[in-house]
Amino acid sequence: MIGNLKPLEIVLIIAVILLLFGAKKLPDMARSLGKSARILKSEAKAMKKDDAEPAGPTAETAADTTQQAAPARTIQAAPGDVSSARPVSEAKPTTQN
């Protein structure tokens, strides 16, 4: 459906958007849309990375994790954007006594 739009129809759509939101709000909306896209992309990459890791710890990886404490991972929304970085919580095994 979008591929069937003619240039005049596209210009009319853009004009209606400008009238509804105003020229001052459009850059802010585009900026927030881009930021949201970067956050979504970084979260998707983190999920793929987590899926690529082995499901259960083996004897070798269990020994490695007890010897070295892994630093906390953070996911940044954009390169250089430290204000929206947050630590990623990882599930810790529970011990039953």
Side-chain angles (χ1 to χ4, degrees):
M1 179 177 161
I2 294 176
N4 296 335
L5 291 178
K6 296 177 180 138
L8 181 60
E9 294 170 342
I10 294 173
V11 170
L12 286 175
I13 291 171
I14 291 173
V16 169
I17 290 173
L18 277 172
L19 288 173
L20 287 176
F21 296 109
K24 290 183 179 181
K25 290 187 180 182
L26 285 178
D28 293 333
M29 290 172 57
R31 192 174 301 116
S32 65
L33 182 66
K35 192 172 185 178
S36 299
R38 283 191 298 270
I39 291 171
L40 180 67
K41 185 177 178 182
S42 66
E43 293 287 339
K45 281 184 180 180
M47 289 176 66
K48 285 182 182 178
K49 184 180 176 185
D50 288 345
D51 288 342
E53 292 177 359
T58 60
E60 293 176 1
T61 57
D64 290 342
T65 56
T66 56
Q67 292 174 359
Q68 299 175 355
R73 298 184 312 154
T74 58
I75 296 176
Q76 293 185 351
D81 185 14
V82 188
S83 62
S84 61
R86 65 183 193 282
V88 177
S89 61
E90 294 185 19
K92 295 183 180 180
T94 58
T95 56
Q96 297 178 359
N97 292 337

